[in-house]
């Protein structure tokens, strides 16, 4: 039962993070940015959704889940970096939108390969601690977005999610040191 609640916390926090990013783009009042960011976030959310369900429903070992989900994120990230322009042309033919999506996706997807590890770490947590940690990620993102938007305008909004994701990963490692050692523990020789 706790796994089902944790997956809901992960998916809900991602949606809240996307909302924070979209609200911070409202001040630019350009439909190119809004449409482009929504497209980027749809591509970003898809592997999180798939790997979250696989991780929480799988009976495989932690290392196998980590290997599979991280490789999915890495392959997906490479695929998006290589083919984002072709994928974007399916949805729009406006050159400004295509340029923004290609530019912003290269920034926004920096932290994508780390998400497999984050999902596995949150799978091992108790429900209340997982909810607290996801709330912490949202708070990190909110403060980083406000701070970076003030100094770097649009680039600050784009860099806020990868930066908050990296800070959250380090915080998760520090707070979940016990679970990190369980995941990376070498098998004992028989």
């Amino acid at each position: 039962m706790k796994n089902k609640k944790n997956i809901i916390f992960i998916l809900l926090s991602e949606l809240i993070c996307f909302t924070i990013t979209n609200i911070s783009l409202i001040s630019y009042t350009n439909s190119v940015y809004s449409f482009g960011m929504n497209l980027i976030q749809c591509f970003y959310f898809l592997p999180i959704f798939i790997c979250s369900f696989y991780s929480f429903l799988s009976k495989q070992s932690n290392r196998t889940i980590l290997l599979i989900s991280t490789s999915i994120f890495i392959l997906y990230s490479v695929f998006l970096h290589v083919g984002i322009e072709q994928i974007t042309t399916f949805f729009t033919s406006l050159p400004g939108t295509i340029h923004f999506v290609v530019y912003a996706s290269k920034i926004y997807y920096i932290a994508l390969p780390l998400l497999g590890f984050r999902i596995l770490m949150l799978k091992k947590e108790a429900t209340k601690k997982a909810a607290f940690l996801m709330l912490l990620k949202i708070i990190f993102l909110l403060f980083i977005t406000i701070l970076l938007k003030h100094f770097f305008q649009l680039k600050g909004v784009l860099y806020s999610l990868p930066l908050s994701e990296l800070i959250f990963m380090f915080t998760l490692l520090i707070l979940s040191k016990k679970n990190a050692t369980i995941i990376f523990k070498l098998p004992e020789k028989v």
Side-chain angles (χ1 to χ4, degrees):
M1 186 64 178
K2 85 173 178 180
N3 288 346
K4 291 178 184 175
K5 289 181 182 177
N6 287 0
I7 195 170
I8 291 170
F9 289 132
I10 290 173
L11 298 176
L12 189 61
S13 71
E14 291 301 325
L15 292 174
I16 292 171
C17 290
F18 293 159
T19 305
I20 290 170
T21 307
N22 284 336
I23 289 172
S24 63
L25 284 174
I26 287 175
S27 63
Y28 294 103
T29 62
N30 191 341
S31 63
V32 170
Y33 297 146
S34 300
F35 177 74
M37 189 54 77
N38 286 332
L39 198 58
I40 289 169
Q41 289 169 347
C42 288
F43 294 144
Y44 191 84
F45 190 69
L46 181 66
I48 293 172
F49 185 76
I50 292 169
C51 288
S52 295
F53 275 105
Y54 173 75
S55 166
F56 285 98
L57 299 177
S58 177
K59 302 290 184 199
Q60 295 178 350
S61 70
N62 291 336
R63 270 191 258 157
T64 306
I65 293 171
L66 180 64
L67 179 67
I68 290 171
S69 61
T70 303
S71 61
I72 287 172
F73 282 121
I74 290 172
L75 289 174
Y76 190 75
S77 181
V78 169
F79 171 72
L80 284 178
H81 278 290
V82 172
I84 192 69
E85 187 171 351
Q86 289 78 19
I87 295 170
T88 307
T89 56
F90 287 128
F91 299 101
T92 183
S93 60
L94 298 173
T97 305
I98 294 171
H99 176 72
F100 173 74
V101 169
V102 169
Y103 171 74
S105 66
K106 292 188 186 315
I107 297 169
Y108 211 70
Y109 298 144
I110 290 171
L112 198 59
L114 297 174
L115 295 180
F117 180 71
R118 183 191 67 169
I119 289 170
L120 185 60
M121 291 292 291
L122 288 172
K123 176 185 175 186
K124 300 305 239 172
E125 297 297 336
T127 304
K128 288 181 183 179
K129 189 172 182 182
F132 170 74
L133 289 171
M134 295 314 291
L135 183 63
L136 192 64
K137 179 189 180 238
I138 293 168
I139 292 170
F140 282 156
L141 179 68
L142 185 61
F143 285 124
I144 289 171
T145 302
I146 291 169
L147 186 67
L148 290 180
K149 182 181 175 186
H150 179 71
F151 291 110
F152 302 108
Q153 287 77 34
L154 181 63
K155 284 185 181 181
V157 174
L158 296 177
Y159 279 107
S160 63
L161 183 77
L163 187 60
S164 69
E165 195 69 52
L166 290 172
I167 292 171
F168 178 70
M169 285 297 299
F170 288 123
T171 306
L172 192 61
L173 280 172
I174 291 169
L175 293 177
S176 302
K177 193 183 276 187
K178 181 179 122 186
N179 287 338
T181 57
I182 292 171
I183 291 170
F184 294 113
K185 188 172 117 178
L186 293 173
E188 297 176 11
K189 293 182 181 179
V190 180

